[in-house]
Amino acid sequence: MVTLDLRHVASPVVRDLLHLVNHPDFDRAQQQIERLGGCTEPVRLTGQSTTVDATTGEVLRSYSSAEEPTGSLLTACGNRRSSRCPACSRLYAADTYHLIRAGISGGKTVPDTVRTHPRVFATLTAPSFGPVHNRPDARPCRCGTRHEPTDALLGTPLNPATYDYVGAVLFNAHAGALWARFAIYLRRELATRLGMTQKVARAAFRVSFAKVAEYQKRGLVHFHAVIRLDGPDGNTQPPPSYATAAVLTDAIRSAAPRARISVTSDAIGERELSWGQQLDVREIAAFGTDSELTDQAVAAYVAKYATKSADASGTLDRALFCHPCQGRGATLLPHGTPLPCTACDGTGQARPLPRLAVARHVRQMIRTCWELGRLPEFAELKLWKWAHMLGFRGHFSTKSRRYSTTLGALRDARRTWRTEQARAHAGLTEPDPTTTLVIGHWDYLGSGYSPGASLLAASVWHRRHLERQFAAEGGC
């Protein structure tokens, strides 16, 4: 039973909702919305699929989106950003949690013996580009004020006129490459400490990791990573006894300062980008110990930040422009058709930035992305496209090949389970893949609900959120 308060809802929304509720097949429409679990921006598809017996040509089953009350099939958007879709974001966080924990404790095709491998939790931060308002432990901020945790000044420069915005944006843009450079030096440092050549070290052990990027209040990314030592075959094999957590920790502390990237430009001169001095490396304790840094705690911590993006630091959660051409005047579609650029006037000259309802510090970071994006030497950074992310263009969640399972494998397992549940509910038998053929054709129609359906989706999310809270508090 869905209960909605319509007293403060605009009349067009009410009319659309009443039209949907009075639809002869409203139950099916509600079933689609329930199945999405409260997704706020579902993808609408049109098309059909047919299941055919490959030997006889008999049509066993057929489906068409035209049969749906709305004329389209709704699928979840899958957006990981909590500010865009809380429902899909929560599912992404859950998948990330299982992926991270499988690499720490085992499970999901990873053997339980992986918890005996050396494992550390490392945090690599950005350097300083100028003093900012903060909350020191034992003294006031440099401005003389003891800031509250929710103070909007936190993370903003004490003196915006002298803050190195160019360096901050370039660090975000090169953060992914800086991590790759760190990973190379880490393997070299391990080999050096163990008295081996890199070739011998690769044959003796393997470095596996999973990391997520988090935005600090000052708009700069830093990385939280689980780093583990395995045998040469990956998580199924322990490393040699001499490859310990202490050796790994020491190698990380030496590799981080060595990872540097030089950037040269006639407009800004030469810059050297590196990690900040704040480097935290702690060994992960076995599950069930008294230590705060246990398997479960680390997995939950990493999953929490996998769904946050730049909007957590007060900026935007979507691109400023749909098709920035990076100064070329037009964007070519895959089939060669030119698409007018939404970021420039068609001649490569950037359009003025739109008025943005963001803090001054964030606006200046975006403006710096915009100005640097005009320079030919920074075209490959695509700063126009990633201005809403303050220049960061890397993946928020990445892992090495042998760390654990993949997000794709987790999603496939969930999809298979849901399909089996739907077949069982409808009384259908599972088709034999050796004798059946599924033929389908689908087109993208759009995204989002109608105004009335969005209210139903919001009520689904709210109800499930309350159910989770009730269960977490020990309800039955």
Side-chain angles (χ1 to χ4, degrees):
M1 181 65 181
V2 178
T3 303
L4 298 172
D5 184 359
L6 304 179
R7 291 175 296 177
H8 305 294
V9 181
S11 57
V13 179
V14 175
R15 286 197 296 269
D16 183 72
L17 179 61
L18 292 176
H19 174 75
L20 181 63
V21 170
N22 290 319
H23 193 283
D25 202 6
F26 168 71
D27 289 343
R28 171 56 186 168
Q30 186 178 14
Q31 182 185 21
Q32 275 211 73
I33 295 174
E34 287 275 354
R35 181 177 57 83
L36 297 178
C39 174
T40 58
E41 297 183 5
V43 176
R44 303 197 306 273
L45 302 174
T46 59
Q48 62 280 329
S49 65
T50 305
T51 304
V52 181
D53 190 312
T55 57
T56 65
E58 178 187 1
V59 176
L60 303 178
R61 286 191 297 274
S62 62
Y63 169 82
S64 173
S65 60
E67 302 170 0
E68 301 291 350
T70 59
S72 61
L73 175 66
L74 300 179
T75 61
C77 67
N79 200 310
R80 65 166 183 80
R81 293 174 173 84
S82 55
S83 59
R84 293 282 295 275
C85 183
C88 291
S89 171
R90 186 179 183 278
L91 195 60
Y92 185 95
D95 286 344
T96 303
Y97 170 81
H98 288 294
L99 183 149
I100 296 295
R101 187 171 182 182
I104 302 175
S105 306
K108 311 294 182 183
T109 71
V110 180
D112 294 343
T113 54
V114 77
R115 66 174 52 190
T116 64
H117 297 194
R119 309 161 303 166
V120 299
F121 183 57
T123 299
L124 284 76
T125 62
S128 173
F129 296 100
V132 298
H133 293 274
N134 58 8
R135 300 182 70 241
D137 294 333
R139 63 185 187 278
C141 175
R142 292 186 184 183
C143 68
T145 303
R146 287 189 179 274
H147 298 287
E148 296 296 328
T150 57
D151 193 335
L153 284 176
L154 288 175
T156 62
L158 291 172
N159 186 358
T162 61
Y163 190 79
D164 185 8
Y165 281 100
V166 171
V169 166
L170 289 177
F171 175 84
N172 278 350
H174 290 87
L178 199 58
W179 170 269
R181 191 72 57 88
F182 160 74
I184 292 173
Y185 280 115
L186 174 58
R187 293 178 176 90
R188 292 178 181 176
E189 291 290 338
L190 284 168
T192 299
R193 275 157 178 70
L194 296 174
M196 302 177 174
T197 64
Q198 294 185 55
K199 181 177 180 180
V200 172
R202 283 195 298 269
F205 59 85
R206 175 188 295 268
V207 178
S208 299
F209 69 86
K211 68 175 177 66
V212 295
E214 178 200 355
Y215 274 86
Q216 298 173 300
K217 289 184 179 294
R218 54 183 175 146
L220 295 169
V221 294
H222 63 211
F223 291 131
H224 301 290
V226 175
I227 305 177
R228 189 187 69 213
L229 291 180
D230 299 327
D233 294 333
N235 56 45
T236 60
Q237 186 179 17
S241 58
Y242 51 78
T244 64
V247 172
L248 177 59
T249 298
D250 189 35
I252 292 173
R253 295 191 180 280
S254 297
R258 293 188 60 191
R260 296 177 179 272
I261 293 178
S262 296
V263 179
T264 304
S265 167
D266 293 337
I268 66 169
E270 184 174 351
R271 299 292 183 97
E272 189 174 62
L273 305 175
S274 62
W275 298 110
Q277 294 182 355
Q278 293 183 345
L279 173 64
D280 184 39
V281 186
R282 291 181 288 170
E283 184 176 359
I284 300 175
F287 178 74
T289 65
D290 294 333
S291 172
E292 294 182 359
L293 203 65
T294 61
D295 302 353
Q296 184 175 0
V298 170
Y301 186 79
V302 172
K304 171 185 176 182
Y305 288 107
T307 58
K308 291 187 176 181
S309 55
D311 56 290
S313 62
T315 183
L316 309 173
D317 61 1
R318 63 187 71 213
L320 289 170
F321 299 94
C322 301
H323 304 287
C325 69
Q326 294 301 129
R328 293 187 298 272
T331 299
L332 291 180
L333 295 177
H335 46 72
T337 303
L339 186 69
C341 182
T342 58
C344 75
D345 60 5
T347 65
Q349 295 298 317
R351 297 182 188 275
L353 278 174
R355 299 180 67 88
L356 303 172
V358 295
R360 176 184 176 184
H361 174 60
V362 172
R363 188 183 302 112
Q364 185 58 44
M365 291 278 287
I366 294 175
R367 184 179 292 112
T368 304
C369 287
W370 203 243
E371 293 171 352
L372 292 177
R374 301 183 185 190
L375 302 178
E377 56 265 41
F378 295 134
E380 63 179 12
L381 299 180
K382 300 181 179 179
L383 293 174
W384 283 5
K385 179 179 180 180
W386 299 107
H388 68 296
M389 302 299 289
L390 311 185
F392 180 65
R393 58 196 177 98
H395 293 288
F396 269 83
S397 175
T398 59
K399 73 175 191 65
S400 58
R401 186 179 298 274
R402 300 291 181 88
Y403 176 79
S404 70
T405 185
T406 63
L407 291 176
L410 294 173
R411 291 164 183 161
D412 287 343
R414 183 168 56 251
R415 189 181 300 112
T416 300
W417 182 84
R418 287 178 174 175
T419 301
E420 292 174 353
Q421 293 294 310
R423 287 199 185 103
H425 181 73
L428 302 174
T429 58
E430 183 176 359
D432 186 349
T434 61
T435 61
T436 57
L437 178 66
V438 179
I439 303 173
H441 175 77
W442 297 96
D443 293 314
Y444 172 77
L445 181 63
S447 61
Y449 296 103
S450 66
S454 64
L455 281 180
L456 290 178
S459 70
V460 171
W461 163 250
H462 182 65
R463 187 188 71 241
R464 295 194 178 186
H465 180 65
L466 292 178
E467 290 173 350
R468 286 191 295 268
Q469 282 187 328
F470 183 68
E473 293 170 359
C476 57

